[in-house]
């Protein structure tokens, strides 16, 4: 029974397209995140939501728009995809302030 | 500006011996530190953590040491097992009053290989 699940696992698309990645957690956590792992393997936070409210918005291009329809779901929509958007995107959730986050399996996005 | 650094991209250890993974940080405001383990094509999984008020935390074969004055932490795995082969990420965090405002700042990872 997967705690944090994201779909799709792999996504190959052309430049200029719009795509979405979905994330769901069944842990009952209030906080959800999107992290990006770039080609140099750095994992960096993009967004956090707490109870559907945007809390953290790092310096991410506004082509990236997160949406949280409820506290168990956090989706990531990306407009006008660029080659540099190719990366692995991880969804995560946590409950307490001590940051023990649970991660999904990742979505490998390849823009061609 | 990389606030958390893991200077060893890879480490190879014999099965049964001790594995020591190192991590340095620059931000003295960090007050919670975590280690995550990652297998290929999977997300990071939490391994062990330590608060800045402690200098050691142990969980089975895994021990994390924190040296605040040196801004250095290390993860010891003993004895090392083949299943420990993975990429290990060090992460740091500032505790925040606002739920959701805390974020993990990751190092770039160390690939640990345990040789039989």
């Amino acid at each position: 029974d997967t705690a944090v699940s994201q779909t799709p696992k792999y996504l190959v698309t052309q430049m200029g397209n719009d795509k979405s990645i979905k994330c769901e957690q069944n842990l009952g956590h209030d906080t959800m995140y999107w992290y990006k792992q770039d080609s140099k393997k750095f994992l960096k936070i993009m967004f956090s939501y707490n109870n559907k409210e945007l809390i953290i918005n790092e310096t991410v291009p506004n082509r990236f728009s997160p949406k949280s329809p409820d506290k168990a779901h956090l989706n990531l929509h990306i407009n006008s995809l660029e080659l540099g958007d190719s990366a692995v995107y991880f969804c995560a959730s946590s409950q307490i302030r001590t940051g023990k986050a649970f991660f999904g399996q990742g979505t490998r996005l390849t823009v061609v | 500006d990389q606030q958390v650094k893991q200077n060893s991209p890879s480490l190879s250890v014999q099965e049964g011996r001790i594995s020591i993974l190192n991590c340095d940080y620059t931000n003295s405001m960090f007050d919670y530190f975590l280690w995550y383990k990652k297998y290929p094509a999977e997300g990071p999984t939490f391994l062990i953590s330590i608060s800045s008020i402690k200098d050691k935390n142990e969980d089975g074969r895994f021990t994390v040491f924190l040296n605040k004055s040196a801004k250095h932490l290390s993860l010891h795995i003993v004895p090392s097992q083949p299943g420990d082969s993975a990429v290990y990420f060090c992460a740091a965090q500032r505790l925040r009053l606002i739920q959701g405002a805390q974020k993990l700042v990751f190092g770039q990872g160390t690939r640990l290989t345990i040789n039989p």
Side-chain angles (χ1 to χ4, degrees), chain A residues 9-10 30-31 33 35 37 40-43 45 48 50 55-56 58 90 94-106, chain B residues 2 4 32 34 36 38 41-46 89 93-109 111:
Chain A
K9 189 165 184 177
Y10 299 97
D30 289 331
T31 305
Y33 309 83
Y35 282 82
Q37 186 177 31
K40 295 183 179 179
K41 306 301 182 188
F42 288 106
L43 261 165
I45 191 164
S48 79
N50 187 62
I55 303 296
I56 294 175
E58 293 288 289
F90 289 97
S94 71
Q95 180 67 350
I96 57 177
R97 291 189 303 120
T98 51
K100 181 180 170 182
F102 293 79
F103 285 81
Q105 77 273 29
Chain B
Q2 199 179 332
V4 179
Y32 202 71
L34 307 92
Y36 279 80
K38 185 182 180 303
E42 293 184 13
T45 55
F46 172 78
F89 288 96
Q93 178 185 270
R94 285 182 63 184
L95 296 180
R96 304 279 184 161
L97 290 176
I98 299 173
Q99 177 70 19
Q102 62 278 5
K103 63 181 181 182
L104 293 170
V105 180
F106 285 88
Q108 65 268 52
R111 182 177 300 278

Coordinates of all heavy atoms in Angstrom, one line a residue, chain A residues 9-10 30-31 33 35 37 40-43 45 48 50 55-56 58 90 94-106, chain B residues 2 4 32 34 36 38 41-46 89 93-109 111:
Chain A
K9 N 5.4 7.7 -13.9 CA 6.7 7.5 -13.5 C 7.7 8.0 -14.5 O 8.8 8.5 -14.2 CB 7.0 6.0 -13.2 CG 8.3 5.7 -12.6 CD 8.4 4.3 -12.0 CE 9.7 4.1 -11.3 NZ 9.9 2.8 -10.6
Y10 N 7.3 7.9 -15.8 CA 8.2 8.4 -16.9 C 7.3 9.2 -17.8 O 6.1 8.9 -18.1 CB 8.8 7.2 -17.7 CG 9.7 6.3 -16.9 CD1 9.2 5.1 -16.4 CD2 11.0 6.7 -16.7 CE1 10.0 4.3 -15.6 CE2 11.8 5.8 -15.9 CZ 11.3 4.7 -15.4 OH 12.2 3.8 -14.7
D30 N -0.5 16.7 6.6 CA -1.1 18.0 6.2 C -0.2 18.8 5.2 O -0.7 19.7 4.5 CB -1.2 18.9 7.5 CG -2.3 18.5 8.4 OD1 -3.2 17.9 7.9 OD2 -2.1 18.7 9.6
T31 N 1.1 18.4 5.1 CA 2.0 19.1 4.3 C 2.5 18.3 3.1 O 2.9 17.1 3.3 CB 3.2 19.6 5.1 OG1 2.7 20.4 6.2 CG2 4.1 20.5 4.2
Y33 N 4.9 18.4 -0.7 CA 6.0 19.2 -1.4 C 6.2 18.7 -2.8 O 5.9 17.5 -3.1 CB 7.3 18.9 -0.6 CG 7.3 19.2 0.9 CD1 6.9 18.2 1.8 CD2 7.8 20.4 1.4 CE1 6.9 18.4 3.1 CE2 7.8 20.6 2.8 CZ 7.4 19.6 3.6 OH 7.4 19.8 5.0
Y35 N 9.8 18.4 -5.0 CA 11.2 18.6 -5.1 C 11.7 18.2 -6.5 O 11.0 17.4 -7.2 CB 12.0 17.7 -4.1 CG 12.0 18.1 -2.7 CD1 10.9 17.9 -1.9 CD2 13.1 18.8 -2.2 CE1 10.9 18.3 -0.5 CE2 13.1 19.2 -0.9 CZ 12.0 19.0 -0.1 OH 12.1 19.4 1.3
Q37 N 15.1 17.0 -8.8 CA 16.5 16.5 -8.9 C 17.0 16.7 -10.3 O 16.5 16.1 -11.2 CB 16.5 15.0 -8.5 CG 18.0 14.5 -8.4 CD 18.1 13.1 -8.0 OE1 17.2 12.3 -8.3 NE2 19.2 12.8 -7.3
K40 N 22.6 17.3 -12.2 CA 23.8 17.1 -11.2 C 23.4 16.4 -10.0 O 24.2 16.3 -9.0 CB 24.3 18.5 -10.9 CG 24.9 19.2 -12.1 CD 25.6 20.5 -11.8 CE 26.2 21.2 -13.0 NZ 26.8 22.5 -12.7
K41 N 22.2 15.9 -9.9 CA 21.7 15.1 -8.8 C 21.3 15.8 -7.6 O 21.0 15.3 -6.5 CB 22.7 13.9 -8.4 CG 23.0 13.1 -9.6 CD 21.8 12.4 -10.2 CE 22.2 11.5 -11.4 NZ 21.1 11.0 -12.1
F42 N 21.3 17.2 -7.6 CA 20.9 18.0 -6.5 C 19.3 17.9 -6.4 O 18.6 18.0 -7.3 CB 21.3 19.4 -6.6 CG 22.7 19.7 -6.5 CD1 23.5 20.0 -7.5 CD2 23.3 19.7 -5.2 CE1 24.9 20.2 -7.4 CE2 24.6 19.9 -5.0 CZ 25.4 20.2 -6.1
L43 N 18.9 17.6 -5.1 CA 17.5 17.6 -4.8 C 17.1 19.0 -4.2 O 17.6 19.3 -3.2 CB 17.2 16.6 -3.8 CG 16.6 15.2 -4.2 CD1 16.7 14.2 -3.1 CD2 15.1 15.4 -4.7
I45 N 14.0 21.9 -3.2 CA 12.5 22.1 -3.1 C 12.0 23.1 -4.1 O 12.7 24.1 -4.5 CB 12.2 22.6 -1.6 CG1 10.7 22.6 -1.4 CG2 12.8 24.0 -1.4 CD1 10.3 22.6 0.1
S48 N 5.9 24.0 -1.3 CA 5.2 23.2 -0.2 C 3.8 23.8 -0.1 O 3.5 25.0 -0.3 CB 6.0 23.3 1.1 OG 5.7 24.5 1.7
N50 N 0.5 23.4 2.8 CA -0.1 22.9 4.0 C -1.6 23.1 4.0 O -2.1 24.2 3.9 CB 0.5 23.7 5.2 CG 0.1 23.0 6.5 OD1 0.4 21.9 6.8 ND2 -0.6 23.8 7.4
I55 N 2.7 27.4 0.9 CA 3.6 28.0 1.9 C 4.9 28.4 1.3 O 5.4 29.5 1.5 CB 3.8 27.0 3.1 CG1 2.4 26.5 3.7 CG2 4.7 27.6 4.1 CD1 1.6 27.7 4.3
I56 N 5.6 27.5 0.7 CA 6.9 27.7 0.1 C 6.7 27.8 -1.4 O 6.1 26.9 -2.1 CB 7.9 26.6 0.4 CG1 8.2 26.6 1.9 CG2 9.2 26.8 -0.4 CD1 9.1 25.5 2.4
E58 N 9.7 28.5 -4.1 CA 11.1 28.9 -4.4 C 11.1 29.6 -5.7 O 10.1 29.7 -6.4 CB 12.0 27.6 -4.4 CG 12.1 27.0 -3.0 CD 13.0 27.8 -2.0 OE1 14.2 27.9 -2.2 OE2 12.4 28.4 -1.1
F90 N 10.1 14.9 -7.6 CA 9.6 14.0 -6.5 C 8.6 14.8 -5.7 O 8.8 16.0 -5.3 CB 10.8 13.7 -5.5 CG 11.8 12.7 -6.1 CD1 13.0 13.2 -6.6 CD2 11.6 11.4 -6.0 CE1 13.9 12.3 -7.1 CE2 12.5 10.5 -6.5 CZ 13.7 10.9 -7.1
S94 N 4.8 15.4 4.7 CA 5.3 15.3 6.1 C 4.2 15.8 7.0 O 3.3 16.5 6.6 CB 6.6 16.0 6.3 OG 6.4 17.4 6.3
Q95 N 4.3 15.4 8.3 CA 3.3 15.8 9.3 C 3.8 16.8 10.3 O 3.3 17.9 10.5 CB 2.6 14.6 9.9 CG 1.5 15.0 10.9 CD 0.3 15.6 10.3 OE1 0.3 15.9 9.2 NE2 -0.7 15.7 11.1
I96 N 4.9 16.3 11.0 CA 5.4 17.1 12.1 C 6.5 18.1 11.6 O 7.0 17.9 10.5 CB 5.9 16.2 13.2 CG1 7.0 15.3 12.6 CG2 4.8 15.4 13.8 CD1 7.6 14.4 13.7
R97 N 6.9 19.0 12.4 CA 7.8 20.1 12.0 C 9.2 19.6 11.8 O 10.0 20.3 11.2 CB 7.8 21.2 13.0 CG 6.5 22.0 13.0 CD 6.6 23.2 13.9 NE 7.0 22.9 15.3 CZ 8.1 23.3 15.8 NH1 9.0 24.1 15.1 NH2 8.4 23.0 17.0
T98 N 9.5 18.3 12.3 CA 10.9 17.9 12.2 C 11.2 17.3 10.8 O 12.3 16.7 10.7 CB 11.1 16.8 13.3 OG1 10.1 15.8 13.2 CG2 11.1 17.4 14.6
G99 N 10.4 17.5 9.8 CA 10.9 17.4 8.5 C 11.1 16.0 8.0 O 11.7 15.7 6.9
K100 N 10.6 15.0 8.7 CA 10.8 13.6 8.2 C 9.8 13.4 7.1 O 8.6 13.2 7.3 CB 10.5 12.6 9.3 CG 10.6 11.2 8.9 CD 10.3 10.3 10.1 CE 10.2 8.8 9.7 NZ 9.9 7.9 10.8
A101 N 10.3 13.6 5.9 CA 9.4 13.6 4.7 C 9.4 12.2 4.1 O 10.4 11.5 4.1 CB 9.8 14.7 3.7
F102 N 8.2 11.9 3.6 CA 8.1 10.6 2.8 C 8.0 11.0 1.4 O 7.1 11.8 1.0 CB 6.8 9.9 3.3 CG 6.9 9.4 4.7 CD1 6.7 10.2 5.8 CD2 7.2 8.1 5.0 CE1 6.8 9.8 7.1 CE2 7.3 7.6 6.3 CZ 7.1 8.5 7.3
F103 N 8.8 10.3 0.5 CA 8.9 10.7 -0.9 C 8.1 9.6 -1.8 O 8.1 8.4 -1.4 CB 10.3 10.8 -1.3 CG 11.0 12.0 -0.8 CD1 11.5 12.1 0.4 CD2 11.2 13.1 -1.7 CE1 12.1 13.2 0.9 CE2 11.8 14.2 -1.3 CZ 12.3 14.3 0.0
G104 N 7.6 10.1 -2.9 CA 7.1 9.3 -3.9 C 8.3 8.7 -4.7 O 9.5 9.0 -4.4
Q105 N 8.0 7.9 -5.7 CA 9.1 7.2 -6.4 C 9.7 8.1 -7.5 O 10.7 7.7 -8.1 CB 8.5 5.9 -7.1 CG 7.7 6.1 -8.3 CD 6.2 6.3 -8.0 OE1 5.8 6.9 -7.0 NE2 5.4 5.9 -8.9
G106 N 9.1 9.2 -7.7 CA 9.7 10.1 -8.7 C 9.1 10.0 -10.1 O 8.5 9.0 -10.5
Chain B
Q2 N 25.8 26.4 -2.1 CA 25.4 25.0 -1.6 C 25.6 25.0 -0.1 O 26.8 25.0 0.4 CB 26.3 24.0 -2.3 CG 25.8 22.6 -2.3 CD 26.8 21.7 -3.1 OE1 27.5 22.1 -4.0 NE2 26.9 20.5 -2.7
V4 N 24.7 22.5 2.0 CA 25.0 21.2 2.5 C 25.8 20.5 1.4 O 25.5 20.4 0.3 CB 23.7 20.4 2.7 CG1 24.0 19.0 3.2 CG2 22.8 21.1 3.7
Y32 N 18.1 20.7 12.5 CA 17.7 19.3 12.4 C 18.4 18.7 11.2 O 18.4 19.4 10.1 CB 16.2 19.2 12.3 CG 15.6 17.9 12.7 CD1 15.6 17.5 14.0 CD2 15.0 17.1 11.8 CE1 15.0 16.3 14.4 CE2 14.5 15.8 12.1 CZ 14.5 15.5 13.5 OH 14.0 14.3 13.8
L34 N 19.1 15.1 8.7 CA 18.6 13.8 8.4 C 19.4 13.1 7.3 O 20.1 13.8 6.6 CB 17.1 13.9 7.8 CG 16.1 14.7 8.6 CD1 16.1 16.2 8.2 CD2 14.7 14.2 8.4
Y36 N 19.0 10.3 4.2 CA 18.0 9.5 3.4 C 18.9 8.6 2.5 O 20.0 8.9 2.1 CB 17.3 10.5 2.5 CG 16.1 11.2 3.1 CD1 16.3 12.3 3.9 CD2 14.8 10.7 3.0 CE1 15.2 12.9 4.6 CE2 13.7 11.3 3.6 CZ 13.9 12.4 4.4 OH 12.8 13.0 5.0
K38 N 18.7 6.2 -1.0 CA 17.9 6.1 -2.3 C 18.4 5.0 -3.2 O 19.6 5.0 -3.5 CB 18.0 7.5 -3.0 CG 17.1 7.6 -4.3 CD 17.3 8.9 -5.0 CE 16.4 8.9 -6.2 NZ 16.7 7.8 -7.2
A41 N 15.7 4.5 -9.4 CA 14.3 4.6 -9.8 C 13.3 4.5 -8.6 O 12.1 4.2 -8.8 CB 14.0 3.4 -10.8
E42 N 13.8 4.9 -7.4 CA 12.9 5.0 -6.3 C 13.1 6.4 -5.6 O 14.1 7.1 -5.9 CB 13.2 3.9 -5.2 CG 12.8 2.5 -5.7 CD 13.0 1.5 -4.6 OE1 13.2 1.9 -3.4 OE2 13.0 0.3 -4.9
G43 N 12.1 6.8 -4.8 CA 12.3 8.0 -4.1 C 13.2 7.8 -2.8 O 13.4 6.7 -2.4
P44 N 13.7 8.9 -2.3 CA 14.5 8.8 -1.1 C 13.7 8.3 0.1 O 12.5 8.6 0.2 CB 15.0 10.2 -0.8 CG 14.8 10.9 -2.1 CD 13.7 10.3 -2.8
T45 N 14.3 7.4 0.9 CA 13.6 6.9 2.1 C 14.4 7.4 3.3 O 15.6 7.3 3.4 CB 13.4 5.4 2.1 OG1 14.7 4.8 2.0 CG2 12.5 5.0 1.0
F46 N 13.6 7.8 4.3 CA 14.2 8.3 5.6 C 15.0 7.2 6.3 O 14.5 6.0 6.4 CB 13.1 8.8 6.5 CG 13.6 9.2 7.9 CD1 14.3 10.3 8.1 CD2 13.4 8.3 8.9 CE1 14.8 10.7 9.4 CE2 13.8 8.6 10.2 CZ 14.5 9.8 10.4
F89 N 21.8 10.5 0.9 CA 21.7 12.0 1.0 C 21.7 12.5 2.4 O 20.9 12.0 3.2 CB 20.4 12.4 0.2 CG 20.5 12.3 -1.3 CD1 19.9 11.1 -1.8 CD2 21.0 13.2 -2.1 CE1 19.9 11.0 -3.2 CE2 21.0 13.1 -3.4 CZ 20.5 11.9 -4.0
Q93 N 17.7 21.1 8.0 CA 16.5 21.9 8.0 C 16.5 22.9 9.2 O 17.1 22.6 10.2 CB 15.3 20.9 8.3 CG 14.0 21.5 8.4 CD 12.9 20.5 8.7 OE1 12.3 19.9 7.9 NE2 12.7 20.3 10.0
R94 N 15.8 24.0 9.0 CA 15.5 24.9 10.1 C 14.1 24.6 10.5 O 13.2 24.6 9.7 CB 15.6 26.4 9.6 CG 17.0 26.9 9.4 CD 17.0 28.3 9.0 NE 16.4 29.1 10.1 CZ 16.2 30.5 9.9 NH1 16.5 31.0 8.8 NH2 15.7 31.2 10.9
L95 N 13.9 24.4 11.8 CA 12.6 24.2 12.3 C 11.8 25.5 12.2 O 12.4 26.6 12.5 CB 12.6 23.7 13.7 CG 13.2 22.3 13.9 CD1 13.2 21.9 15.4 CD2 12.5 21.3 13.1
R96 N 10.6 25.5 11.8 CA 9.7 26.7 11.6 C 8.5 26.5 12.4 O 8.0 25.4 12.6 CB 9.4 26.8 10.2 CG 10.6 26.9 9.2 CD 11.2 28.3 9.2 NE 12.3 28.4 8.3 CZ 12.7 29.5 7.8 NH1 12.2 30.7 8.2 NH2 13.7 29.5 6.9
L97 N 7.9 27.6 12.8 CA 6.7 27.6 13.6 C 5.5 27.3 12.6 O 4.5 26.7 13.0 CB 6.4 28.9 14.3 CG 7.4 29.2 15.5 CD1 7.1 30.6 16.0 CD2 7.2 28.2 16.6
I98 N 5.6 27.8 11.4 CA 4.5 27.6 10.4 C 4.6 26.2 9.8 O 5.7 25.9 9.2 CB 4.5 28.7 9.4 CG1 4.4 30.1 10.0 CG2 3.5 28.4 8.3 CD1 4.6 31.2 9.0
Q99 N 3.6 25.4 10.0 CA 3.6 24.1 9.4 C 3.7 24.2 7.9 O 2.9 25.0 7.2 CB 2.3 23.3 9.8 CG 2.2 22.0 9.1 CD 3.2 20.9 9.7 OE1 3.7 21.1 10.8 NE2 3.4 19.9 9.0
G100 N 4.7 23.5 7.3 CA 4.8 23.6 5.9 C 6.0 24.5 5.4 O 6.4 24.4 4.3
A101 N 6.4 25.3 6.4 CA 7.5 26.3 6.0 C 8.9 25.7 6.1 O 9.8 26.2 5.6 CB 7.4 27.5 6.9
Q102 N 9.0 24.5 6.7 CA 10.3 23.8 6.8 C 10.6 23.2 5.5 O 9.7 22.6 4.9 CB 10.3 22.8 8.0 CG 9.4 21.7 7.9 CD 8.0 22.0 8.4 OE1 7.6 23.1 8.7 NE2 7.1 21.0 8.4
K103 N 11.8 23.3 5.1 CA 12.2 22.6 3.9 C 13.5 21.9 4.1 O 14.3 22.3 4.9 CB 12.3 23.6 2.7 CG 13.4 24.6 3.0 CD 13.5 25.6 1.8 CE 14.6 26.6 2.0 NZ 14.7 27.6 1.0
L104 N 13.7 20.8 3.4 CA 14.9 20.0 3.5 C 15.9 20.6 2.4 O 15.6 20.8 1.3 CB 14.7 18.6 3.2 CG 13.8 17.8 4.2 CD1 13.4 16.5 3.7 CD2 14.6 17.7 5.6
V105 N 17.2 20.9 2.9 CA 18.2 21.3 2.0 C 19.2 20.1 1.9 O 19.7 19.6 2.9 CB 19.0 22.5 2.6 CG1 20.1 22.9 1.6 CG2 18.0 23.6 2.7
F106 N 19.3 19.5 0.7 CA 20.0 18.3 0.5 C 21.5 18.5 0.0 O 21.8 19.5 -0.7 CB 19.3 17.4 -0.6 CG 18.1 16.8 -0.1 CD1 16.8 17.4 -0.1 CD2 18.1 15.5 0.5 CE1 15.7 16.8 0.3 CE2 17.0 14.8 0.9 CZ 15.8 15.5 0.8
G107 N 22.3 17.6 0.4 CA 23.6 17.4 -0.2 C 23.5 16.7 -1.6 O 22.3 16.3 -1.9
Q108 N 24.5 16.6 -2.3 CA 24.4 16.0 -3.6 C 24.5 14.5 -3.6 O 24.4 13.8 -4.7 CB 25.5 16.6 -4.6 CG 26.9 16.3 -4.2 CD 27.5 17.4 -3.3 OE1 26.9 17.7 -2.2 NE2 28.7 17.8 -3.6
G109 N 24.7 13.9 -2.4 CA 24.6 12.4 -2.4 C 26.0 11.8 -2.5 O 26.9 12.3 -3.1
R111 N 27.4 7.8 -3.3 CA 27.0 6.4 -3.8 C 27.9 5.4 -3.0 O 29.1 5.4 -3.1 CB 27.2 6.3 -5.3 CG 26.8 4.9 -5.8 CD 27.0 4.8 -7.3 NE 26.2 5.7 -8.0 CZ 24.9 5.6 -8.2 NH1 24.2 4.5 -7.9 NH2 24.2 6.5 -8.9

